[in-house]
Amino acid sequence: MFSLWSWVPVLPGLAWGWALLDALLQGLVGACAVSVLCSLLRVYLYIQCLNDPEWQSEKAAIGAQRRLLELLHVAVLAGLLALVGSRVAALVVLEFSLRAVSTVLSLGKGAHSSQLYLLCQYSLGCGVSCGLSFLLEGAPHGTCNLALAAGLAGLLATYAQRLARHVCTLYELHSRARYCGVCILLLTAGHGIPRLLRNALTVAFAVGDLAAVALINRDFLSAAEAVRFWTPLTICYTLLVIYMQEEPRQSAGGRAAHQTVLVRMGGLFILLLTVGRWTDVLHVFVSLLGELWCLLCAGAMLESCRWQ
């Protein structure tokens, strides 16, 4: 007998049935990872703004985030990550990793680290999705493992969002009264949040980069095909990194951040027009929407980073 799924048309970048469910679960895990990152950065930036009377407007903007918007951010980002194919997601991860290493080496430690964390949101989601796709490839119970991972990631994201709402609502009062254990812990150790995020992102992107290289190389039948793909890719990414380094350091927020996204996605679009598939070109547009959506939701925090 014919399978029911054989009569259903295939969408670009997705397969029906269990593969569709796997893609949605991978996207959800990636979106939850981005949500945790944003919540912890929101806590850190709110405390920083609270300590300086000149940043009261930025403090109000950061604290005005609504729960419905947070849920919408996770839902939309999960859908975009599910739509993006593994090939384009892998390229996004590799491009940001190269740019992040170059930025860290050129700038060193400083206030720009928070900007870099905000700019890596979509790339982090792609990295988590690539890592899960590679680690669970061929697993007999891959869907169950993804469901468990999505549940744990959702739980962690929920608690991180609760922490951010608690800090933005009660931290100013509790830090003075000193009767809330969470706020006292943040008062004494809140400055260590960037270091915690840096270590976590280093591990996440290291796994994502290894998975990205493996996912891209599996499509090549010979070493010659791999060379024909990796050579223009290396040249394109090198030119992108040089361009990013020549951008003004202090204009990483606002319009400059959106311009950087357009340049990066434009370079990736031109590259895939020559060495990619037509589905890859469609996935670049989905990635562009994902990058812009993350920047839109983090607009207040980006502005705070720029002033700080």
Side-chain angles (χ1 to χ4, degrees), residues 3 91 104 111-113 143 197 233 249 263 270 305:
S3 173
L91 292 175
V104 170
H112 294 278
S113 59
T143 302
L197 293 177
L233 177 68
R249 305 294 191 218
V263 171
I270 295 174
C305 288

Side-chain angles (χ1 to χ4, degrees), residues 182-239:
V182 174
C183 294
I184 293 176
L185 178 63
L186 290 174
L187 183 64
T188 57
H191 61 276
I193 292 178
R195 183 172 63 253
L196 172 66
L197 293 177
R198 182 177 67 248
N199 295 335
L201 289 174
T202 300
V203 174
F205 276 101
V207 175
D209 291 337
L210 294 175
V213 173
L215 291 174
I216 293 175
N217 284 334
R218 72 179 180 182
D219 295 331
F220 303 130
L221 299 178
S222 64
E225 291 184 9
V227 171
R228 283 197 297 268
F229 181 84
W230 284 106
T231 300
L233 177 68
T234 303
I235 296 173
C236 178
Y237 280 2
T238 302
L239 293 176

Side-chain angles (χ1 to χ4, degrees), residues 136 138-147:
L136 297 178
H141 304 290
T143 302
C144 295
N145 294 332
L146 284 173

